[in-house]
Amino acid sequence: MKSMLERERKFSVPAGFELPELGERLREHTLRSTYFDTSDYRLLEAGVTLRHRLVDGEPGGAWQLKLPSQGFRSEIEAEGDRAAIPDELRELIAVLVRDRELAPVATLVTERSGRLARRGRVVVAEVVQDRVTVTASDPTSGPFTEVEIELHEAGTPHDLIRIARQLRAAGAGESDGRPKLARALQLDPRHREEPENSAGTAGPVQLALGMQLQELIRHDPGTRLGHDPDELHDMRVAVRRLRAILRAARSVFRGTFAGETRAALKELGSSLGAVRDLDVLIAYIRAETASLPAGERPLVEPLVAVLEEERAEARVALLSALRDPGYFALLDRLQLAVGGRELSGKSVSLQKVARREHRKLVKAVRRLDQNPADAELHQIRIKAKHARYAAELAATSHPKHVQAYIKRAKELQDVLGTHQDAVVAERRISDAGRKAKKTSTALVAGRLAQLQVERRKQARKSFPDTWRALAEQGDKTW
């Protein structure tokens, strides 16, 4: 597979629009794209595009999968004819498709022309004009035209703004953002149905669960692809928030549902965390390497190599977890809760839940001595996280003062998170230094491990003031 990050901006244009003189003309092409989706358009709803494309009628063609990624789109391409969707692409969208059939939903023929845009001698973008004809068996849209700026690697946001101004001056208008398939089928996937609501406390809980379940599913394909560490991070955050919601509002669910589902989410979170923690550590070490003397920097590479090998092993385990039927059963279970199928009928005050979590945190901090153990501070971080997530849940119905509390809780989490990162990093760097089996690398590892001691000290210094600010805000809020 080939993969690239797509940075683009689309424009709607009137009939007869011609591209301005941006630069040299591109060769014109005819693109025949067959789009695949489920019967209820699961891919389109998720902002995902799967198509098979032929260029200028040449045989074979290629499959293209586009995934949303942190404001951009990742495009993955695999060679092959239309007869079979490549397995590697199917796996990336397994969480969206599940047991549904993928079938052609529309065929679009695009007459593409365009120009190169430069900054001086540097090519920064292609600006293409697509005249699209829909050839589906039952087309719902007539022909349409759109213009797209596709930034090259050398292109910058400033280049995008500059070219956009030129296009608007020539008569182009802002696009509504829909992909070609949505326009062809006259659908708008941006307007999604909210999870079914019900009266009382369960409503906010269902909505919160639904939002986090959507986040988990949205970041699953990018996590499987593995090119953007933030995709995995965001999926892990969604798992944590789901666990927190189930914990805080466990009495509104039937029987053992909340506990069993939290246990399954914890197992998933562990698989995600094993990779994410190594991503953070490797990035940190590479950043710290710049502060070392030039002669010592190459000595860090064997250390990083050990950690990257550990990460590769953790990623294999993560992908195995995401292929497991138990993972999909977990998603089904959560969807039932979002739809109200697992509700007990009991009611609970979310404000009281948040107050209770804050008081647990206060009691835990009061039990600390002057020099708490690393493990004790880690437990305070966990309780601060519980208090913050409970406050976020309560904020849906009791917003007064809560946002300020959430902000202070996040600040405490950040301080204690830095402390815990340093604790873990010190141990893992020392272990990797020993595994590298090279004295010079072990010495550099020792120096990097010592930096973690300093990070812990700074975090401990920040802890009292950060905690005091949260405690004072807690008194006002709860």
Side-chain angles (χ1 to χ4, degrees):
M1 294 191 301
K2 295 188 294 184
S3 178
M4 61 174 287
L5 189 65
E6 188 179 69
R7 299 181 296 162
E8 63 181 28
R9 185 168 173 183
K10 293 185 177 184
F11 298 84
S12 62
V13 295
F17 178 86
E18 295 293 337
L19 287 177
E21 297 288 336
L22 298 166
E24 62 200 81
R25 290 184 182 275
L26 294 169
R27 179 187 164 196
E28 295 188 4
H29 292 289
T30 300
L31 313 173
R32 186 179 181 87
S33 304
T34 302
Y35 289 78
F36 286 71
D37 208 330
T38 61
S39 59
D40 53 354
Y41 300 110
R42 288 298 180 97
L43 300 187
L44 184 61
E45 182 181 328
V48 173
T49 297
L50 175 64
R51 68 190 177 202
H52 182 269
R53 171 167 282 180
L54 293 170
V55 180
D56 295 331
E58 295 178 359
W63 287 89
Q64 295 174 335
L65 176 66
K66 294 189 178 186
L67 303 172
S69 176
Q70 308 300 325
F72 301 108
R73 292 217 292 176
S74 293
E75 181 177 307
I76 304 98
E77 186 170 289
E79 296 299 321
D81 59 33
R82 227 189 82 168
I85 302 170
D87 290 342
E88 56 267 35
L89 298 187
R90 280 186 178 275
E91 177 163 337
L92 290 175
I93 51 178
V95 73
L96 300 171
V97 177
R98 308 289 289 278
D99 57 355
R100 296 170 179 82
E101 182 183 357
L102 283 168
V105 293
T107 298
L108 277 57
V109 176
T110 302
E111 300 295 336
R112 171 168 289 181
S113 59
R115 290 180 179 271
L116 287 179
R118 299 177 181 270
R119 186 191 336 110
R121 295 184 177 181
V122 179
V123 175
V124 296
E126 291 182 13
V127 183
V128 298
Q129 180 167 336
D130 289 342
R131 297 175 177 86
V132 183
T133 303
V134 184
T135 65
S137 57
D138 184 20
T140 55
S141 169
F144 59 89
T145 301
E146 65 180 23
V147 169
E148 188 174 294
I149 306 171
E150 297 181 358
L151 278 184
H152 284 206
E153 188 174 349
T156 67
H158 179 73
D159 293 317
L160 195 62
I161 293 169
R162 174 176 55 82
I163 299 167
R165 284 174 181 164
Q166 291 175 277
L167 291 175
R168 283 197 294 269
E174 294 298 327
S175 167
D176 63 10
R178 289 183 297 165
K180 288 183 175 68
L181 178 60
R183 291 190 65 179
L185 298 176
Q186 292 291 288
L187 297 174
D188 194 344
R190 296 168 299 176
H191 300 303
R192 301 175 183 175
E193 292 183 9
E194 294 292 340
E196 182 183 343
N197 207 340
S198 62
T201 306
V205 173
Q206 286 173 260
L207 288 171
L209 275 179
M211 288 174 61
Q212 296 309 318
L213 179 56
Q214 282 183 0
E215 281 295 289
L216 188 159
I217 292 171
R218 186 162 73 92
H219 294 291
D220 174 295
T223 297
R224 292 172 189 263
L225 184 60
H227 291 174
D228 184 350
D230 286 340
E231 291 289 322
L232 186 151
H233 169 68
D234 289 344
M235 185 175 178
R236 185 189 187 191
V237 169
V239 169
R240 284 177 168 174
R241 289 178 181 274
L242 285 165
R243 291 188 66 217
I245 294 165
L246 291 168
R247 180 181 183 276
R250 52 190 176 274
S251 63
V252 307
F253 297 103
R254 291 190 299 193
T256 59
F257 172 82
E260 292 174 353
T261 306
R262 287 186 70 243
L265 285 165
K266 182 178 181 180
E267 188 174 342
L268 174 60
S270 295
S271 297
L272 293 163
V275 181
R276 174 62 183 172
D277 290 345
L278 284 162
D279 280 341
V280 171
L281 181 55
I282 292 168
Y284 172 79
I285 291 174
R286 290 201 180 281
E288 286 296 324
T289 300
S291 67
L292 296 175
E296 293 184 2
R297 292 172 194 170
L299 301 176
V300 178
E301 287 306 313
L303 179 67
V304 172
V306 170
L307 295 172
E308 286 182 336
E309 185 176 341
E310 292 179 8
R311 183 193 180 280
E313 293 173 359
R315 180 161 163 76
V316 168
L318 170 59
L319 291 176
S320 177
L322 295 181
R323 296 183 187 113
D324 193 289
Y327 169 61
F328 298 108
L330 170 62
L331 300 183
D332 289 340
R333 198 180 310 149
L334 287 165
Q335 192 60 58
L336 288 176
V338 172
R341 295 278 298 279
E342 293 293 341
L343 298 179
S344 66
K346 296 179 182 178
S347 182
V348 63
S349 166
L350 297 177
Q351 191 172 16
K352 287 182 179 179
V353 168
R355 184 185 299 123
R356 182 177 67 235
E357 294 299 334
H358 174 69
R359 288 175 176 172
K360 286 181 181 180
L361 174 60
V362 170
K363 288 180 182 179
V365 174
R366 286 176 178 169
R367 286 195 296 265
L368 296 177
D369 59 26
Q370 290 292 328
N371 187 30
D374 293 337
E376 290 177 313
L377 287 180
H378 182 47
Q379 288 304 308
I380 296 299
R381 180 195 179 199
I382 292 173
K383 291 183 183 301
K385 190 190 310 174
H386 290 164
R388 174 190 167 193
Y389 290 164
E392 289 178 343
L393 198 56
T396 58
S397 54
H398 301 281
K400 188 177 180 181
H401 298 305
V402 176
Q403 293 303 326
Y405 179 85
I406 293 169
K407 178 182 177 183
R408 294 300 186 188
K410 185 179 185 305
E411 289 169 354
L412 182 64
Q413 268 186 261
D414 289 344
V415 167
L416 295 179
T418 298
H419 182 274
Q420 182 63 15
D421 286 348
V423 170
V424 174
E426 181 184 359
R427 172 176 53 81
R428 299 199 80 150
I429 289 171
S430 298
D431 289 345
R434 286 190 290 271
K435 289 179 181 178
K437 297 179 181 179
K438 192 173 182 180
T439 303
S440 54
T441 295
L443 291 172
V444 171
R447 189 176 303 176
L448 290 170
Q450 185 59 37
L451 291 175
Q452 310 316 305
V453 176
E454 296 303 317
R455 285 176 80 199
R456 286 164 54 202
K457 286 180 180 178
Q458 289 301 315
R460 283 173 176 265
K461 280 184 181 180
S462 301
F463 171 63
D465 288 344
T466 310
W467 162 246
R468 193 175 301 112
L470 175 58
E472 289 174 357
Q473 187 59 50
D475 291 341
K476 296 176 185 177
T477 305
W478 310 120

